[in-house]
Short mmCIF file of all heavy atoms in Angstrom, two decimals:
data_model
loop_
_atom_site.label_atom_id
_atom_site.label_comp_id
_atom_site.label_asym_id
_atom_site.label_seq_id
_atom_site.Cartn_x
_atom_site.Cartn_y
_atom_site.Cartn_z
N MET A 6 -22.54 -2.08 5.71
CA MET A 6 -22.74 -3.49 6.04
C MET A 6 -21.49 -4.09 6.66
O MET A 6 -21.56 -4.86 7.62
CB MET A 6 -23.14 -4.27 4.78
CG MET A 6 -24.53 -3.95 4.26
SD MET A 6 -24.87 -4.71 2.64
CE MET A 6 -24.93 -6.44 3.09
N VAL A 7 -20.33 -3.74 6.10
CA VAL A 7 -19.06 -4.25 6.63
C VAL A 7 -18.84 -3.73 8.04
O VAL A 7 -18.42 -4.48 8.94
CB VAL A 7 -17.88 -3.83 5.71
CG1 VAL A 7 -16.55 -4.11 6.38
CG2 VAL A 7 -17.98 -4.58 4.38
N LYS A 8 -19.12 -2.45 8.29
CA LYS A 8 -18.97 -1.87 9.63
C LYS A 8 -19.89 -2.58 10.63
O LYS A 8 -19.48 -2.90 11.75
CB LYS A 8 -19.29 -0.37 9.60
CG LYS A 8 -18.15 0.49 9.03
CD LYS A 8 -18.57 1.93 8.81
CE LYS A 8 -19.09 2.62 10.06
NZ LYS A 8 -18.07 2.74 11.12
N THR A 9 -21.12 -2.85 10.24
CA THR A 9 -22.09 -3.50 11.12
C THR A 9 -21.67 -4.92 11.48
O THR A 9 -21.88 -5.39 12.59
CB THR A 9 -23.49 -3.52 10.46
OG1 THR A 9 -23.88 -2.18 10.17
CG2 THR A 9 -24.52 -4.13 11.38
N SER A 10 -21.04 -5.60 10.51
CA SER A 10 -20.65 -7.00 10.74
C SER A 10 -19.33 -7.14 11.48
O SER A 10 -18.93 -8.24 11.85
CB SER A 10 -20.57 -7.75 9.40
OG SER A 10 -19.52 -7.23 8.60
N ALA A 11 -18.64 -6.03 11.72
CA ALA A 11 -17.35 -6.08 12.43
C ALA A 11 -17.60 -6.05 13.93
O ALA A 11 -17.63 -4.98 14.57
CB ALA A 11 -16.47 -4.89 12.01
N THR A 12 -17.80 -7.24 14.51
CA THR A 12 -18.20 -7.33 15.92
C THR A 12 -17.10 -7.90 16.82
O THR A 12 -17.35 -8.23 17.97
CB THR A 12 -19.45 -8.22 16.04
OG1 THR A 12 -19.18 -9.50 15.45
CG2 THR A 12 -20.64 -7.59 15.32
N ALA A 13 -15.89 -8.02 16.31
CA ALA A 13 -14.79 -8.54 17.14
C ALA A 13 -14.46 -7.55 18.26
O ALA A 13 -14.87 -6.39 18.23
CB ALA A 13 -13.55 -8.79 16.27
N LYS A 14 -13.68 -8.03 19.24
CA LYS A 14 -13.34 -7.19 20.40
C LYS A 14 -12.20 -6.22 20.10
O LYS A 14 -11.78 -5.48 20.97
CB LYS A 14 -12.99 -8.07 21.60
CG LYS A 14 -14.19 -8.85 22.14
CD LYS A 14 -13.82 -9.68 23.35
CE LYS A 14 -15.03 -10.44 23.88
NZ LYS A 14 -14.68 -11.28 25.06
N PHE A 15 -11.67 -6.27 18.88
CA PHE A 15 -10.64 -5.32 18.47
C PHE A 15 -11.13 -4.53 17.26
O PHE A 15 -12.15 -4.89 16.66
CB PHE A 15 -9.33 -6.06 18.14
CG PHE A 15 -9.44 -7.04 17.00
CD1 PHE A 15 -9.15 -6.66 15.69
CD2 PHE A 15 -9.85 -8.35 17.24
CE1 PHE A 15 -9.26 -7.56 14.64
CE2 PHE A 15 -9.96 -9.26 16.18
CZ PHE A 15 -9.66 -8.86 14.89
N ASP A 16 -10.44 -3.46 16.95
CA ASP A 16 -10.83 -2.61 15.83
C ASP A 16 -10.38 -3.28 14.53
O ASP A 16 -9.21 -3.21 14.16
CB ASP A 16 -10.20 -1.22 15.98
CG ASP A 16 -10.79 -0.20 15.01
OD1 ASP A 16 -11.75 -0.56 14.30
OD2 ASP A 16 -10.30 0.94 15.00
N GLU A 17 -11.32 -3.93 13.86
CA GLU A 17 -10.98 -4.72 12.67
C GLU A 17 -10.54 -3.82 11.51
O GLU A 17 -11.01 -2.70 11.35
CB GLU A 17 -12.19 -5.56 12.23
CG GLU A 17 -12.63 -6.59 13.27
CD GLU A 17 -13.81 -7.42 12.80
OE1 GLU A 17 -13.78 -7.90 11.65
OE2 GLU A 17 -14.77 -7.56 13.58
N THR A 18 -9.62 -4.36 10.71
CA THR A 18 -9.19 -3.67 9.50
C THR A 18 -10.21 -3.92 8.39
O THR A 18 -10.74 -5.02 8.26
CB THR A 18 -7.80 -4.18 9.05
OG1 THR A 18 -6.85 -3.87 10.06
CG2 THR A 18 -7.36 -3.54 7.74
N VAL A 19 -10.48 -2.89 7.60
CA VAL A 19 -11.36 -3.05 6.44
C VAL A 19 -10.47 -3.20 5.21
O VAL A 19 -9.61 -2.36 4.93
CB VAL A 19 -12.29 -1.82 6.28
CG1 VAL A 19 -13.14 -1.97 5.02
CG2 VAL A 19 -13.18 -1.67 7.51
N ASP A 20 -10.66 -4.31 4.49
CA ASP A 20 -9.84 -4.64 3.32
C ASP A 20 -10.70 -4.67 2.06
O ASP A 20 -11.90 -4.97 2.12
CB ASP A 20 -9.18 -6.01 3.49
CG ASP A 20 -8.17 -6.04 4.61
OD1 ASP A 20 -7.17 -5.31 4.54
OD2 ASP A 20 -8.39 -6.80 5.59
N VAL A 21 -10.04 -4.41 0.93
CA VAL A 21 -10.72 -4.59 -0.35
C VAL A 21 -9.92 -5.59 -1.18
O VAL A 21 -8.69 -5.63 -1.12
CB VAL A 21 -10.87 -3.28 -1.16
CG1 VAL A 21 -11.82 -2.34 -0.46
CG2 VAL A 21 -9.55 -2.61 -1.41
N ALA A 22 -10.66 -6.41 -1.94
CA ALA A 22 -10.05 -7.32 -2.91
C ALA A 22 -10.63 -6.94 -4.27
O ALA A 22 -11.86 -6.95 -4.44
CB ALA A 22 -10.37 -8.77 -2.58
N ILE A 23 -9.78 -6.54 -5.19
CA ILE A 23 -10.23 -6.03 -6.50
C ILE A 23 -9.68 -6.93 -7.60
O ILE A 23 -8.47 -7.08 -7.74
CB ILE A 23 -9.73 -4.59 -6.72
CG1 ILE A 23 -10.15 -3.70 -5.54
CG2 ILE A 23 -10.26 -4.03 -8.03
CD1 ILE A 23 -9.19 -2.58 -5.26
N GLU A 24 -10.57 -7.57 -8.34
CA GLU A 24 -10.15 -8.39 -9.48
C GLU A 24 -10.06 -7.50 -10.71
O GLU A 24 -11.02 -6.82 -11.08
CB GLU A 24 -11.13 -9.53 -9.73
CG GLU A 24 -10.68 -10.45 -10.87
CD GLU A 24 -11.68 -11.54 -11.19
OE1 GLU A 24 -12.71 -11.65 -10.49
OE2 GLU A 24 -11.44 -12.27 -12.17
N LEU A 25 -8.88 -7.51 -11.34
CA LEU A 25 -8.65 -6.68 -12.51
C LEU A 25 -8.61 -7.54 -13.78
O LEU A 25 -8.21 -8.71 -13.74
CB LEU A 25 -7.32 -5.93 -12.39
CG LEU A 25 -7.18 -4.97 -11.19
CD1 LEU A 25 -5.77 -4.39 -11.15
CD2 LEU A 25 -8.21 -3.86 -11.25
N GLY A 26 -8.99 -6.93 -14.89
CA GLY A 26 -8.96 -7.62 -16.18
C GLY A 26 -7.58 -7.59 -16.80
O GLY A 26 -7.41 -7.04 -17.90
N VAL A 27 -6.60 -8.15 -16.09
CA VAL A 27 -5.22 -8.21 -16.59
C VAL A 27 -4.68 -9.62 -16.38
O VAL A 27 -5.20 -10.38 -15.57
CB VAL A 27 -4.30 -7.19 -15.86
CG1 VAL A 27 -4.76 -5.77 -16.10
CG2 VAL A 27 -4.22 -7.49 -14.37
N ASP A 28 -3.62 -9.95 -17.10
CA ASP A 28 -2.93 -11.22 -16.93
C ASP A 28 -1.50 -10.91 -16.49
O ASP A 28 -0.64 -10.60 -17.33
CB ASP A 28 -2.92 -12.02 -18.23
CG ASP A 28 -2.32 -13.41 -18.05
OD1 ASP A 28 -1.71 -13.66 -16.98
OD2 ASP A 28 -2.43 -14.24 -18.97
N PRO A 29 -1.23 -10.96 -15.16
CA PRO A 29 0.08 -10.57 -14.64
C PRO A 29 1.23 -11.43 -15.14
O PRO A 29 2.40 -11.09 -14.93
CB PRO A 29 -0.08 -10.70 -13.12
CG PRO A 29 -1.55 -10.75 -12.87
CD PRO A 29 -2.14 -11.38 -14.09
N ARG A 30 0.92 -12.57 -15.80
CA ARG A 30 1.99 -13.40 -16.34
C ARG A 30 2.71 -12.67 -17.48
O ARG A 30 3.84 -13.00 -17.82
CB ARG A 30 1.43 -14.74 -16.84
CG ARG A 30 0.92 -15.65 -15.72
CD ARG A 30 0.27 -16.88 -16.29
NE ARG A 30 -0.90 -16.55 -17.11
CZ ARG A 30 -1.66 -17.46 -17.73
NH1 ARG A 30 -1.35 -18.74 -17.62
NH2 ARG A 30 -2.71 -17.08 -18.45
N HIS A 31 2.02 -11.69 -18.07
CA HIS A 31 2.63 -10.86 -19.11
C HIS A 31 3.19 -9.60 -18.46
O HIS A 31 2.47 -8.87 -17.77
CB HIS A 31 1.61 -10.50 -20.18
CG HIS A 31 0.99 -11.68 -20.86
ND1 HIS A 31 1.73 -12.52 -21.69
CD2 HIS A 31 -0.26 -12.19 -20.83
CE1 HIS A 31 0.94 -13.49 -22.15
NE2 HIS A 31 -0.26 -13.32 -21.63
N GLY A 32 4.47 -9.35 -18.67
CA GLY A 32 5.12 -8.22 -18.04
C GLY A 32 4.46 -6.89 -18.32
O GLY A 32 4.45 -6.00 -17.46
N ASP A 33 3.85 -6.76 -19.51
CA ASP A 33 3.23 -5.47 -19.86
C ASP A 33 1.83 -5.32 -19.25
O ASP A 33 1.14 -4.33 -19.50
CB ASP A 33 3.16 -5.29 -21.38
CG ASP A 33 2.32 -6.35 -22.07
OD1 ASP A 33 1.91 -7.32 -21.39
OD2 ASP A 33 2.06 -6.21 -23.27
N GLN A 34 1.41 -6.32 -18.45
CA GLN A 34 0.11 -6.22 -17.78
C GLN A 34 0.25 -6.25 -16.25
O GLN A 34 -0.72 -6.48 -15.54
CB GLN A 34 -0.84 -7.32 -18.25
CG GLN A 34 -1.25 -7.15 -19.70
CD GLN A 34 -2.44 -8.00 -20.09
OE1 GLN A 34 -3.37 -8.19 -19.32
NE2 GLN A 34 -2.42 -8.51 -21.31
N MET A 35 1.46 -6.02 -15.79
CA MET A 35 1.68 -5.94 -14.34
C MET A 35 1.16 -4.60 -13.83
O MET A 35 1.45 -3.55 -14.41
CB MET A 35 3.17 -6.09 -14.03
CG MET A 35 3.55 -5.84 -12.57
SD MET A 35 2.65 -6.88 -11.37
CE MET A 35 3.29 -8.50 -11.79
N VAL A 36 0.39 -4.62 -12.77
CA VAL A 36 -0.14 -3.40 -12.16
C VAL A 36 0.45 -3.26 -10.76
O VAL A 36 0.23 -4.11 -9.90
CB VAL A 36 -1.69 -3.44 -12.06
CG1 VAL A 36 -2.22 -2.18 -11.38
CG2 VAL A 36 -2.30 -3.60 -13.45
N ARG A 37 1.20 -2.21 -10.56
CA ARG A 37 1.76 -1.96 -9.22
C ARG A 37 2.00 -0.46 -9.05
O ARG A 37 2.10 0.29 -10.03
CB ARG A 37 3.07 -2.72 -9.00
CG ARG A 37 4.24 -2.27 -9.85
CD ARG A 37 5.51 -3.03 -9.52
NE ARG A 37 5.91 -2.84 -8.13
CZ ARG A 37 7.03 -3.34 -7.60
NH1 ARG A 37 7.86 -4.05 -8.35
NH2 ARG A 37 7.32 -3.12 -6.35
N GLY A 38 2.09 -0.04 -7.81
CA GLY A 38 2.32 1.38 -7.54
C GLY A 38 2.00 1.71 -6.10
O GLY A 38 1.88 0.82 -5.25
N THR A 39 1.87 2.98 -5.82
CA THR A 39 1.54 3.44 -4.47
C THR A 39 0.51 4.56 -4.58
O THR A 39 0.37 5.19 -5.61
CB THR A 39 2.77 4.00 -3.73
OG1 THR A 39 3.26 5.14 -4.44
CG2 THR A 39 3.86 2.96 -3.61
N THR A 40 -0.21 4.76 -3.49
CA THR A 40 -1.11 5.92 -3.41
C THR A 40 -1.23 6.32 -1.95
O THR A 40 -0.89 5.55 -1.04
CB THR A 40 -2.50 5.60 -4.01
OG1 THR A 40 -3.25 6.81 -4.10
CG2 THR A 40 -3.27 4.60 -3.14
N SER A 41 -1.68 7.53 -1.73
CA SER A 41 -1.91 8.02 -0.36
C SER A 41 -3.40 8.03 -0.07
O SER A 41 -4.19 8.53 -0.88
CB SER A 41 -1.33 9.43 -0.20
OG SER A 41 0.08 9.39 -0.21
N LEU A 42 -3.77 7.45 1.07
CA LEU A 42 -5.17 7.46 1.48
C LEU A 42 -5.42 8.75 2.28
O LEU A 42 -4.68 9.05 3.21
CB LEU A 42 -5.48 6.24 2.36
CG LEU A 42 -5.19 4.87 1.75
CD1 LEU A 42 -5.63 3.77 2.71
CD2 LEU A 42 -5.89 4.71 0.41
#
Side-chain angles (χ1 to χ4, degrees):
M6 290 172 68
V7 169
K8 282 171 58 63
T9 302
S10 66
T12 56
K14 292 182 179 179
F15 61 93
D16 192 5
E17 297 180 47
T18 297
V19 177
D20 294 297
V21 293
I23 306 150
E24 183 183 356
L25 300 176
V27 298
D28 185 349
R30 291 175 299 180
H31 301 292
D33 62 352
Q34 292 195 37
M35 172 56 66
V36 178
R37 67 177 300 184
T39 62
T40 189
S41 289
L42 303 184

